[in-house]
Amino acid sequence: MNHAVRKLTLILIDIVLIVFSVCMAYFLRFDFRVREPYFRLIPYVVMSLSFVTVCSFHLFKVYRRIWRYAGINDLLAIVKASLLAVFVFFVAHHYIIHTYLPDMIVPRSIYPLAAIMIAMTSGGIRLLWRIWAESTGRIQPHNRRTLIIGAGEAGRMVVKELRQTQSELYPIAFIDDDEYKFNHEILGVPVLGNRGDIPKIAENYNIEDIIVAMPSASRSEIAEVIEIAKRTNCQIKILPRMEDLLNGKLTVNSIRNVSVEDLLGRDPVKVDLDGISDYLRGQVVLVTGAGGSIGSELCRQISGFRPEKLLLLGHGENSIYEIELELRRKFPELSLEPVIADIQDKARIRQVFAQYRPAVVFHAAAHKHVPLMEKNPAEAVKNNVFGTKNVAECAREFRARRFVLISTDKAVNPTSVMGACKRVAEMIVQSLNTGGGTKFAAVRFGNVLGSRGSVIPLFKKQIEAGGPVTVTHPDMIRYFMTIPEAVQLVIQAGALAEGGEVFILDMGKPVKIDDLAKDLIRLSGLEPGKDINITYTGMRPGEKLFEEILSKEEGAAATKHDRIYVGKPLEISPDELQAALLELNRSLSEANPADDKDAIGVRRALKQIVASYKWQEKGGAPPRASVDEAFRASLEVLAALDHKTT
């Protein structure tokens, strides 16, 4: 029934209960022998109290509550509404009606008796409805049987919210590691076991959805629980942040689906706010590629440190326009300057530096799509190599204090044009650090979840379309970070820079792309291979099975931040590098983009600069043995660093 019909039905039931309650109050008062003139006033008392009580129930929102989920607070609302109704009737009758009509006598003992009877009957009938509904397991066809992990305060709030809002999620049971809670009930929902029992309980109770209600737990603990929940075919959801719960902001809409970020299991980055504030606050900061995934997040986080001016430089006007609008809304007091410019145009870049004199430069502008750059190597070199050279040289010329290059793990022993170009960009930055007042540094990290071109949005679209999900190779492994996490560490690395370093971010354990695809399918409540198929398409040109984080020559040393390592600066001759770049530029000027031979010429020129660059003209992966060796070497280095820092 709709809300209006339901409310009218409840009002009629309450009127019947009020009639019964008033009659019982008189019968109890007069020992079931009600005499005149009291008997003839019963209809008057019934009608008056019915009107006042219904109004009072409406005031206390009694008719908006879902009574099959009635709890103590709901019953208290009825008690308060009944007391208020009788009190209003007492005041109105005793001080108004009885004053003008002294013959209309209502014994004072009727008032408390009527209040008690109305509260008992109205509350009792609703409580009986809940008992009957739960004992018969009345779950509507549209309700989804839900298991809640965490029987603490957050879990209780979830049950209460689901019931009060008539959510399609119906709480069946709790899971909690506290053995004291086993075989007990919270708001009528039983606690059936610990996290190890999740798959068994989900199967035995036909669970369709799982809600992780552990907002105060560490991310690693939540990731562990989600890993167990993934063994079921349930849709997995999770609560918002703890501060939202403390502020009473929990709603059904804020209970979100589990994302891949939750699976990484890494705790938030601890940022040295004092160190960051020292080099960003009150400074003119330039971010190139400000409209991109990393660049825009850099702008968001830098804005919180109150720079004197933030320059948003990008080649695409739409993306710069969007990030400018967002920042002006979030930081109205911040001085922003959108700059449309191409980093390949040195004259324009020099003009920007001359006009604004930025003290800190974050260089995030780059072509980053590996397969596209394999097909367009000349464009990759122009943008990622000579575009970086233009910005870095202008930073040095106009005496910027710090220059931070956003690099990639693909720059280590590269097999792609994009990776080789990024390695050359690192070498340019390191070579420029000799002399001058600018501290140059590069920050190297892996794949970023949710960034443009990331595999995650592609997988999600494929799942929404019913599949198949395309994976290049079943053994392909990648490091992953979230965008905010990566950017926080980039900004932190900028504070640590002394000049010439290549910082390497701790990206945790590498993830198999195949497992990632299967996780996304399961998180969507589907089963890999049954509901959604996975198709292996083969590796694309320039791709590696495993991305390394540092070369043997670089090694690594720990910094004072436990999530950032620094590679040993390599000795780079500026003169030799300049000569090699001239040769690379000559290969570009002679190259015909449509001619594969000319493209090979560009690659060979890159090889002259980056000795570890290897490519296969027909694409494919390097030998498996070298990949396994690099994998083990990277893990050994990180393990050694972790040991040093602890």
Side-chain angles (χ1 to χ4, degrees):
M1 65 179 70
N2 61 38
H3 178 71
V5 175
R6 176 181 174 274
K7 184 175 181 180
L8 180 60
T9 303
L10 287 174
I11 289 174
L12 293 175
I13 292 173
D14 282 332
I15 290 174
V16 172
L17 294 175
I18 293 167
V19 172
F20 173 78
S21 299
V22 171
C23 291
M24 284 301 300
Y26 270 92
F27 290 153
L28 292 173
R29 167 63 179 82
F30 292 103
D31 198 20
F32 291 90
R33 292 191 295 272
V34 184
R35 304 187 305 273
E36 288 286 350
Y38 303 115
F39 186 79
R40 63 182 176 82
L41 289 180
I42 290 179
Y44 155 73
V45 176
V46 165
M47 288 188 291
S48 301
L49 261 181
S50 295
F51 175 77
V52 177
T53 303
V54 168
C55 292
S56 183
F57 278 15
H58 180 77
L59 179 66
F60 280 87
K61 300 180 181 178
V62 171
Y63 298 118
R64 296 178 62 181
R65 299 172 186 264
I66 311 302
W67 289 101
R68 64 175 172 174
Y69 305 131
I72 293 176
N73 290 336
D74 304 301
L75 295 177
L76 282 175
I78 287 183
V79 171
K80 293 175 183 177
S82 301
L83 290 173
L84 177 62
V86 172
F87 176 75
V88 170
F89 173 64
F90 166 74
V91 171
H93 175 79
H94 189 74
Y95 292 102
I96 300 175
I97 304 298
H98 186 61
T99 301
Y100 296 99
L101 300 170
D103 292 337
M104 296 183 68
I105 300 173
V106 177
R108 293 189 177 184
S109 56
I110 291 297
Y111 299 114
L113 285 173
I116 293 170
M117 292 302 300
I118 292 172
M120 287 179 60
T121 55
S122 295
I125 198 72
R126 287 165 168 82
L127 189 58
L128 286 172
W129 165 243
R130 173 189 166 169
I131 294 171
W132 178 77
E134 292 203 351
S135 64
T136 56
R138 287 178 59 85
I139 303 177
Q140 299 298 325
H142 62 273
N143 290 138
R144 296 176 59 87
R145 302 174 67 87
T146 303
L147 179 67
I148 300 172
I149 302 177
E153 180 63 20
R156 187 192 68 80
M157 291 174 65
V158 169
V159 172
K160 184 178 178 182
E161 180 66 18
L162 294 180
R163 288 174 170 176
Q164 288 184 348
T165 57
Q166 283 186 296
S167 170
E168 66 172 4
L169 304 177
Y170 184 89
I172 296 294
F174 278 111
I175 287 291
D176 200 280
D177 290 335
D178 185 356
E179 295 183 1
Y180 176 78
K181 296 177 181 178
F182 291 178
N183 301 318
H184 287 73
E185 290 189 359
I186 299 174
L187 296 179
V189 178
V191 182
L192 297 181
N194 58 30
R195 68 180 67 177
D197 299 320
I198 292 173
K200 178 180 66 178
I201 292 172
E203 181 180 359
N204 292 344
Y205 287 82
N206 299 318
I207 299 299
E208 298 172 88
D209 291 85
I210 294 175
I211 297 178
V212 181
M214 303 166 56
S216 59
S218 67
R219 291 190 180 180
S220 58
E221 186 177 3
I222 290 175
E224 181 182 341
V225 169
I226 294 174
E227 189 65 32
I228 298 172
K230 278 163 37 184
R231 301 173 195 168
T232 69
N233 292 326
C234 300
Q235 179 82 43
I236 307 174
K237 301 179 184 294
I238 194 168
L239 280 195
R241 299 169 300 174
M242 175 55 99
E243 51 264 35
D244 289 338
L245 296 180
L246 293 176
N247 293 331
K249 297 178 182 177
L250 177 62
T251 65
V252 169
N253 292 333
S254 64
I255 301 175
R256 61 174 174 82
N257 291 333
V258 167
S259 63
V260 179
E261 289 87 338
D262 298 311
L263 301 177
L264 293 179
R266 293 202 292 275
D267 290 322
V269 176
K270 296 178 181 177
V271 176
D272 177 13
L273 294 177
D274 292 335
I276 291 174
S277 298
D278 287 344
Y279 88 97
L280 289 180
R281 180 168 294 155
Q283 303 296 325
V284 177
V285 180
L286 168 64
V287 177
T288 70
S293 305
I294 299 297
S296 60
E297 182 63 24
L298 271 167
C299 293
R300 292 183 191 99
Q301 295 194 25
I302 291 170
S303 297
F305 293 103
R306 299 180 182 177
E308 177 186 332
K309 185 183 291 291
L310 180 58
L311 308 177
L312 315 175
L313 189 147
H315 196 204
E317 61 176 4
N318 290 331
S319 57
I320 294 297
Y321 174 72
E322 289 173 3
I323 187 62
E324 181 195 5
L325 281 183
E326 178 185 337
L327 294 179
R328 289 198 187 281
R329 184 179 68 254
K330 292 181 178 179
F331 304 94
E333 75 289 348
L334 180 63
S335 175
L336 292 173
E337 196 65 45
V339 179
I340 304 301
D342 186 347
I343 60 173
Q344 297 178 41
D345 183 352
K346 188 171 184 179
R348 171 64 174 140
I349 296 300
R350 195 174 183 279
Q351 180 187 34
V352 172
F353 273 83
Q355 181 177 356
Y356 297 105
R357 303 276 176 163
V360 182
V361 180
F362 289 95
H363 181 49
H367 290 328
K368 62 181 182 180
H369 296 272
V370 171
L372 283 177
M373 294 305 101
E374 288 301 300
K375 294 180 180 179
N376 302 275
E379 294 305 313
V381 171
K382 290 176 186 177
N383 201 65
N384 293 4
V385 174
F386 291 105
T388 298
K389 184 173 181 289
N390 291 339
V391 179
E393 287 179 344
C394 286
R396 183 179 184 182
E397 177 184 354
F398 290 93
R399 309 186 71 82
R401 296 180 184 177
R402 294 173 193 263
F403 179 98
V404 180
L405 166 69
I406 308 301
S407 189
T408 170
D409 55 2
K410 294 176 176 62
V412 182
N413 298 325
T415 58
S416 65
V417 169
M418 196 281 279
C421 289
K422 277 295 190 178
R423 178 59 192 138
V424 176
E426 291 179 356
M427 295 170 71
I428 291 171
V429 166
Q430 288 180 306
S431 70
L432 286 173
N433 194 69
T434 56
T438 305
K439 295 179 179 179
F440 288 89
V443 180
R444 188 186 291 164
F445 54 85
N447 294 270
V448 180
L449 292 172
S451 64
R452 295 175 186 173
S454 168
V455 71
I456 306 301
L458 173 62
F459 284 168
K460 288 181 177 179
K461 288 179 181 178
Q462 291 174 337
I463 292 170
E464 290 173 1
V469 172
T470 56
V471 176
T472 54
H473 195 286
D475 295 326
M476 183 169 284
I477 298 172
R478 290 290 183 268
Y479 287 106
F480 282 98
M481 303 184 78
T482 66
I483 294 177
E485 179 182 31
V487 167
Q488 281 181 320
L489 288 172
V490 167
I491 296 175
Q492 182 70 68
L496 300 173
E498 293 298 330
E501 304 98 334
V502 175
F503 291 101
I504 301 126
L505 305 188
D506 175 12
M507 294 169 282
K509 296 180 181 178
V511 178
K512 286 185 71 174
I513 302 297
D514 191 39
D515 291 342
L516 189 63
K518 291 174 181 176
D519 284 343
L520 279 171
I521 294 171
R522 291 191 185 99
L523 293 178
S524 301
L526 303 170
E527 188 175 343
K530 183 178 179 181
D531 301 310
I532 300 288
N533 290 324
I534 295 178
T535 301
Y536 300 103
T537 59
M539 293 180 62
R540 297 171 296 183
E543 286 188 325
K544 291 194 289 185
L545 285 178
F546 180 79
E547 297 293 356
E548 303 152 81
I549 58 174
L550 45 87
S551 66
K552 291 181 180 179
E553 295 79 15
E554 289 174 319
T559 67
K560 62 182 180 181
H561 194 285
D562 61 359
R563 299 282 298 278
I564 301 175
Y565 308 119
V566 58
K568 298 174 183 175
L570 302 180
E571 293 186 6
I572 299 171
S573 168
D575 294 336
E576 291 180 7
L577 179 60
Q578 190 66 27
L581 289 173
L582 287 173
E583 180 63 24
L584 179 60
N585 192 40
R586 186 187 63 78
S587 71
L588 289 180
S589 61
E590 296 176 356
N592 178 359
D595 192 332
D596 288 341
K597 291 183 180 179
D598 287 348
I600 292 174
V602 173
R603 289 186 171 93
R604 285 175 177 164
L606 282 172
K607 174 71 173 177
Q608 293 300 314
I609 304 174
V610 184
S612 60
Y613 172 39
K614 296 178 181 179
W615 82 91
Q616 296 183 359
E617 295 182 16
K618 294 183 180 179
R624 178 68 206 221
S626 66
V627 173
D628 287 338
E629 182 182 352
F631 183 30
R632 288 194 299 272
S634 296
L635 292 182
E636 286 172 3
V637 170
L638 288 181
L641 287 170
D642 287 340
H643 178 71
K644 289 180 183 178
T645 54
T646 54

